[in-house]
Amino acid sequence: MKFNSECVFCKIVQKQLPSSTIYEDDSVLAFLDIKPVCEGHTLVISKEHYEGILDIPGELLGKVHQVAKLVADVATQALCADGINISQHNGRAANQEVFHLHVHVIPRHLGQKIKSPGELEIVDHKQLNVIADKMKTHI
């Protein structure tokens, strides 16, 4: 499995940094974003390092998206979400900030406003773990 020693997501995969994990298998990891735009904002990544959609093998990309669907189902149940935003950014021009393929799964509620990038704050892992535990009960 290839890793990038400078990549924050690779460090999470290798348990060098903490995460509030929702789902994990041999090739995919889903964890809560530490700067969520709203409660339950989850990142789904391939465990192996690929920068974006253009270099990840199609079969692995398919697994990442299968897990994104699972997380969407879980968020809908656990957080009573009315909808789900799913996005994936590729390259600086597309506002990709971490250059490790990841899919954002963002639970939404009617009338809810999304925080702008300047409004995002780091959330304590203890708070995130409470949300993660709530979501994991629906897997």
Side-chain angles (χ1 to χ4, degrees):
M1 197 174 291
K2 65 181 189 174
F3 294 101
N4 177 331
S5 62
E6 304 295 314
C7 174
V8 66
F9 290 170
C10 286
K11 290 178 182 181
I12 288 171
V13 168
Q14 295 180 317
K15 310 294 187 214
Q16 296 172 359
L17 292 174
S19 69
S20 298
T21 301
I22 304 296
Y23 174 89
E24 182 172 11
D25 66 24
D26 290 342
S27 58
V28 178
L29 179 66
F31 55 93
L32 293 176
D33 195 317
I34 63 167
K35 289 176 111 178
V37 296
C38 56
E39 182 181 64
H41 179 173
T42 303
L43 302 174
V44 182
I45 68 169
S46 62
K47 286 183 155 182
E48 192 165 357
H49 184 84
Y50 294 98
E51 284 194 14
I53 200 166
L54 299 177
D55 65 335
I56 189 170
E59 185 176 316
L60 182 54
L61 179 63
K63 282 200 75 178
V64 168
H65 280 276
Q66 286 176 338
V67 174
K69 182 193 181 316
L70 172 68
V71 171
D73 290 339
V74 164
T76 300
Q77 294 173 44
L79 304 174
C80 302
D82 299 312
I84 303 287
N85 284 101
I86 295 179
S87 65
Q88 195 267 316
H89 309 259
N90 294 280
R92 289 193 196 287
N95 296 322
Q96 184 177 7
E97 292 180 11
V98 177
F99 289 88
H100 183 127
L101 182 118
H102 57 288
V103 175
H104 296 263
V105 180
I106 304 169
R108 300 293 307 279
H109 295 90
L110 289 172
Q112 178 184 35
K113 296 197 191 285
I114 292 274
K115 294 178 184 174
S116 69
E119 297 174 308
L120 300 179
E121 297 177 358
I122 293 176
V123 176
D124 181 74
H125 276 288
K126 288 179 185 174
Q127 289 176 272
L128 292 175
N129 287 340
V130 169
I131 298 165
D133 288 345
K134 185 177 183 180
M135 292 174 72
K136 284 190 280 193
T137 64
H138 292 274
I139 290 183

